[in-house]
Amino acid sequence: MAARAATLGVKLRPHLKTSKSATVAALAAEGPVVGFTVSTLKEAEYFHAQGHRELFYAVTIEPGKFARAARLLKSGANLLLACDDPAVARQLAVAGQTLDVVFPVLIEIDCGEHRSGLAPDDVRVVEIARLLAVGQGVHLAGVCTHGGHSYAGRTPAEHRAVAEIERVAAVTAAEAIRATGLECPIVSVGSSPTAVFAENLQGVTELRCGVYMFGDLFQAGIGMCGIDDLAVSVVTAVIGHRPDRNTLLVDAGGLALSKDLSTQKLPSARQAGFGWVGALDGGLISGFAVTSVHQEHGQITAPEPIDFSRYPIGSRLRVWPNHVCMTAAAYEEYQVVAGSDEVEAQWHRVNGW
Amino acid sequence: MAARAATLGVKLRPHLKTSKSATVAALAAEGPVVGFTVSTLKEAEYFHAQGHRELFYAVTIEPGKFARAARLLKSGANLLLACDDPAVARQLAVAGQTLDVVFPVLIEIDCGEHRSGLAPDDVRVVEIARLLAVGQGVHLAGVCTHGGHSYAGRTPAEHRAVAEIERVAAVTAAEAIRATGLECPIVSVGSSPTAVFAENLQGVTELRCGVYMFGDLFQAGIGMCGIDDLAVSVVTAVIGHRPDRNTLLVDAGGLALSKDLSTQKLPSARQAGFGWVGALDGGLISGFAVTSVHQEHGQITAPEPIDFSRYPIGSRLRVWPNHVCMTAAAYEEYQVVAGSDEVEAQWHRVNGW
């Protein structure tokens, strides 16, 4: 991704919501990295404590979090906030003064995902820009958008099209702000698919994306990476045999794997139930999938008859998850291996809020 | 549930996999409670450290967990294990000798859930019973079954029918063992629906059930409890308004609520998306549901136009989850309130494995 950003002539602000790990952040800090993106204030606090000063909390801020954000700023973090509402911009300006900080803010633009953000031509974009430029406790840092609807794409052409829509939305908003005489230094875009497939990012200053660091079955299913690229799997033990139902029982259930079923949206050959299954050494077992979960039970089935003698009770398997952000959140650390089952390191991660 | 067990003339071994909290366990210890049920060895270790000696780890054991279970036994816990495989029973007998413990074991019976366990008339039930009775490092403690297919029921009559099937399966297996001259002291059954709707539990010695302590939208949807009985909700902040899409954005997404969609299996009036929504004081807001989640974003929509002025950015709402076992696992503690938003206590819970 560092090479992609360099080729595209933009900076990189990798999203750490997937890994939530300082060790992974250190590995992702290569190349034109200007800082990191986080999805919770707890992540911001954790990564700041780990020595990362440049952070963007990419979820629109609300008043209940102003004091916590201010504490981070006062302790030396340059914590960018997101805002898409003039009332909140006004409240931020007052709170910044009261709390004796200057909140740096990116105005969030909706480029078609239709989750948060304002349309690029919404008059409130310029209204918020003026509030941030004029207010004492705030600073207009730029604009951001997230082409999350790229995940509805299934081909490079579709991802490329969303990448261009994302770019145009962000740049249009930035130009509208600049046309009023204000500065708009940061123009931030990015999802992993748009980052990988964008053809040009003219006018954009930085890319935010994160799941590329690990990959998962959904990412592989939309062509973002190969199955061999997936970095995270869940090790599970066989705890039962059901030859009458051609089912292996394992001790990874809904809590260990998450109940994410995003691969159901993919063509049938790419659907994975709650995950694809492999041997401990990493080799995928063709056709094996976790097709059902209870809290601590997973049921592995296959289209062909399973040779149960190969998987005695107590033997270990790996499950590759549909959505690694959801699955990794069940764990406090990563057990790091390199081609074997010998754990070489444990990497801490932060969870919660 | 204590009153139910007393009426039915059985003991209670409440399942702690939902709450995973010593404080909740203390509240659930009233009535004819003979111990607790857990879903992981980590829970067993936690509850034993909290002073609970009588524990049943109700997931079939595999050799990789023998040493950890033995440590619990040696430290004074009476940790019952589950087994449905003769090979594992043999391995347990050897391991018990080697590790200098006697593993007490319940033979798991499949009463129709078709997850784990042996059919009541499977010859391996008696085979395992003999292995456990004869082996040095093992002890035959009884039989257990789980009528988890009760969750497919939608009426009291359906739950009652599964409860009777569950009872008959467990008692049939116990009688088959006793017919060989062996003792089978424990006959353990239970899911929350079968525990609530069972008409008689003749031959059963104890009930295991757990989710009744909290309740959730799925439980309410199958008639197990009312909406007013639900003990656990997620407090979330409004972070955005989308009048163009009749959507409120909140900061509770897939990690805060879980991606459980079990209420999709219910009649449409009971379906809840990722959760129903209420005010902070607990009153449900009719029609509001979290219909879409991203990692840290939830989208609340309603069939009627939302009056956004009532829900300013920064205001707080509650979300009642579909499946409380999954949702609670995202948190390290419960914030305890009594009819207001003032937190009266924090109750710890244990997560992970």
Side-chain angles (χ1 to χ4, degrees):
Chain A
M1 197 57 81
R4 278 292 297 161
T7 302
L8 290 160
V10 296
K11 304 295 183 187
L12 196 57
R13 191 186 290 275
H15 209 314
L16 298 174
K17 78 185 180 79
T18 307
S19 70
K20 299 203 188 202
S21 166
T23 320
V24 178
L27 292 169
E30 284 183 28
V33 170
V34 290
F36 290 106
T37 309
V38 296
S39 66
T40 65
L41 287 178
K42 190 161 176 191
E43 286 168 51
E45 289 159 353
Y46 165 78
F47 287 109
H48 184 237
Q50 298 287 330
H52 299 291
R53 186 176 171 271
E54 297 291 335
L55 298 166
F56 170 37
Y57 171 45
V59 177
T60 49
I61 195 74
E62 49 86 20
K65 301 189 183 83
F66 289 174
R68 199 169 164 188
R71 280 197 294 277
L72 270 162
L73 287 163
K74 284 193 165 181
S75 67
N78 185 35
L79 180 70
L80 302 172
L81 304 178
C83 177
D84 67 0
D85 189 284
V88 176
R90 278 187 200 93
Q91 291 170 306
L92 263 175
V94 172
Q97 274 195 287
T98 308
L99 298 166
D100 196 25
V101 293
V102 176
F103 290 114
V105 182
L106 300 184
I107 302 172
E108 185 169 355
I109 306 302
D110 180 1
C111 63
E113 182 183 32
H114 300 319
R115 184 175 71 182
S116 43
L118 298 166
D121 59 354
D122 190 308
V123 292
R124 288 173 292 178
V125 173
V126 168
E127 182 187 356
I128 296 172
R130 287 199 175 107
L131 288 163
L132 296 173
V134 168
Q136 292 281 307
V138 280
H139 165 67
L140 171 59
V143 296
C144 64
T145 193
H146 174 238
H149 50 314
S150 61
Y151 287 109
R154 297 289 175 267
T155 64
E158 287 168 337
H159 299 317
R160 209 174 293 132
V162 175
E164 179 61 8
I165 291 167
E166 184 183 44
R167 182 191 76 81
V168 169
V171 172
T172 300
E175 290 303 325
I177 291 166
R178 289 170 185 145
T180 69
L182 299 172
E183 288 188 3
C184 183
I186 296 176
V187 182
S188 175
V189 306
S191 68
S192 288
T194 56
V196 166
F197 291 101
E199 286 201 310
N200 96 78
L201 289 178
Q202 204 175 350
V204 166
T205 65
E206 65 176 47
L207 271 180
R208 305 183 320 276
C209 39
V211 71
Y212 70 89
M213 296 179 207
F214 285 169
D216 55 32
L217 291 178
F218 183 78
Q219 297 282 331
I222 62 169
M224 273 294 302
C225 58
I227 292 289
D228 290 345
D229 297 323
L230 307 190
V232 172
S233 56
V234 174
V235 175
T236 186
V238 176
I239 59 167
H241 289 166
R242 288 296 297 243
D244 59 324
R245 305 181 77 82
N246 200 40
T247 297
L248 277 172
L249 274 148
V250 292
D251 65 357
L255 284 186
L257 299 175
S258 102
K259 288 210 166 177
D260 187 279
L261 283 166
S262 49
T263 56
Q264 280 191 345
K265 296 175 201 151
L266 298 173
S268 60
R270 291 291 196 168
Q271 291 178 9
F274 294 89
W276 279 349
V277 179
L280 208 51
D281 69 3
L284 208 62
I285 304 172
S286 177
F288 274 38
V290 179
T291 50
S292 164
V293 292
H294 293 84
Q295 184 164 341
E296 297 294 345
H297 293 80
Q299 293 178 284
I300 295 174
T301 56
E304 303 292 322
I306 294 172
D307 177 359
F308 288 89
S309 69
R310 295 184 63 180
Y311 311 103
I313 293 174
S315 57
R316 260 57 180 168
L317 296 169
R318 286 189 187 280
V319 181
W320 282 270
N322 287 329
H323 186 170
V324 67
C325 310
M326 295 298 298
T327 303
Y331 301 88
E332 290 180 358
E333 65 207 2
Y334 302 97
Q335 309 290 333
V336 183
V337 296
S340 76
D341 61 343
E342 198 173 321
V343 175
E344 301 190 352
Q346 292 181 325
W347 293 349
H348 177 255
R349 55 171 283 142
V350 67
N351 289 313
W353 292 270
Chain B
M1 197 57 79
R4 279 292 297 160
T7 303
L8 290 160
V10 296
K11 304 295 183 188
L12 197 57
R13 190 185 292 276
H15 209 314
L16 299 174
K17 78 185 180 80
T18 306
S19 70
K20 299 203 187 201
S21 165
T23 320
V24 177
L27 293 169
E30 285 183 29
V33 171
V34 290
F36 289 106
T37 310
V38 297
S39 67
T40 65
L41 287 179
K42 189 161 177 193
E43 286 168 51
E45 290 159 351
Y46 165 79
F47 288 110
H48 184 238
Q50 299 286 330
H52 300 290
R53 187 178 170 272
E54 298 291 335
L55 298 166
F56 171 36
Y57 171 46
V59 177
T60 49
I61 194 75
E62 50 85 20
K65 301 189 182 86
F66 289 174
R68 198 169 166 188
R71 279 197 293 277
L72 270 162
L73 286 163
K74 285 192 166 180
S75 68
N78 184 36
L79 179 70
L80 302 172
L81 303 178
C83 177
D84 67 359
D85 189 284
V88 176
R90 279 188 200 93
Q91 292 171 307
L92 263 175
V94 173
Q97 273 194 288
T98 309
L99 298 166
D100 197 25
V101 294
V102 176
F103 291 114
V105 182
L106 300 183
I107 303 173
E108 185 169 357
I109 306 302
D110 180 2
C111 63
E113 183 182 32
H114 300 319
R115 185 176 69 182
S116 44
L118 298 165
D121 59 354
D122 191 306
V123 293
R124 288 173 292 178
V125 172
V126 169
E127 183 187 356
I128 296 172
R130 287 199 175 109
L131 288 164
L132 296 174
V134 168
Q136 292 280 307
V138 280
H139 166 65
L140 172 58
V143 295
C144 65
T145 192
H146 174 237
H149 50 314
S150 60
Y151 288 110
R154 298 290 176 265
T155 64
E158 287 168 337
H159 299 318
R160 209 174 292 132
V162 175
E164 180 60 7
I165 290 166
E166 184 183 44
R167 181 190 77 81
V168 169
V171 172
T172 300
E175 290 303 326
I177 291 167
R178 289 170 186 147
T180 68
L182 298 173
E183 288 188 2
C184 183
I186 295 176
V187 182
S188 175
V189 306
S191 69
S192 288
T194 56
V196 166
F197 290 102
E199 285 201 310
N200 95 79
L201 289 178
Q202 206 174 348
V204 165
T205 65
E206 65 176 46
L207 272 179
R208 305 181 322 275
C209 39
V211 71
Y212 71 88
M213 297 179 207
F214 286 170
D216 56 33
L217 291 178
F218 184 78
Q219 295 283 330
I222 62 168
M224 273 294 303
C225 58
I227 293 288
D228 289 346
D229 297 324
L230 306 190
V232 173
S233 56
V234 174
V235 176
T236 186
V238 175
I239 59 167
H241 289 165
R242 289 296 297 242
D244 58 324
R245 305 180 77 82
N246 200 41
T247 297
L248 277 171
L249 274 150
V250 292
D251 64 357
L255 283 186
L257 300 175
S258 102
K259 288 210 167 177
D260 187 279
L261 284 167
S262 50
T263 57
Q264 281 191 345
K265 297 174 199 150
L266 298 173
S268 60
R270 291 290 196 167
Q271 291 178 10
F274 294 89
W276 279 350
V277 179
L280 208 51
D281 68 5
L284 208 62
I285 304 173
S286 178
F288 274 37
V290 179
T291 50
S292 163
V293 291
H294 293 83
Q295 183 164 340
E296 297 294 345
H297 292 79
Q299 293 179 283
I300 295 173
T301 56
E304 303 291 322
I306 293 172
D307 177 359
F308 288 88
S309 69
R310 295 185 62 182
Y311 310 103
I313 293 174
S315 57
R316 259 56 179 168
L317 296 168
R318 284 189 188 281
V319 181
W320 282 270
N322 287 329
H323 187 172
V324 66
C325 310
M326 296 297 299
T327 303
Y331 302 89
E332 290 180 358
E333 65 205 2
Y334 301 98
Q335 309 291 334
V336 184
V337 296
S340 77
D341 61 343
E342 198 173 321
V343 175
E344 301 190 351
Q346 293 181 325
W347 293 350
H348 177 255
R349 56 170 282 142
V350 67
N351 290 313
W353 291 271

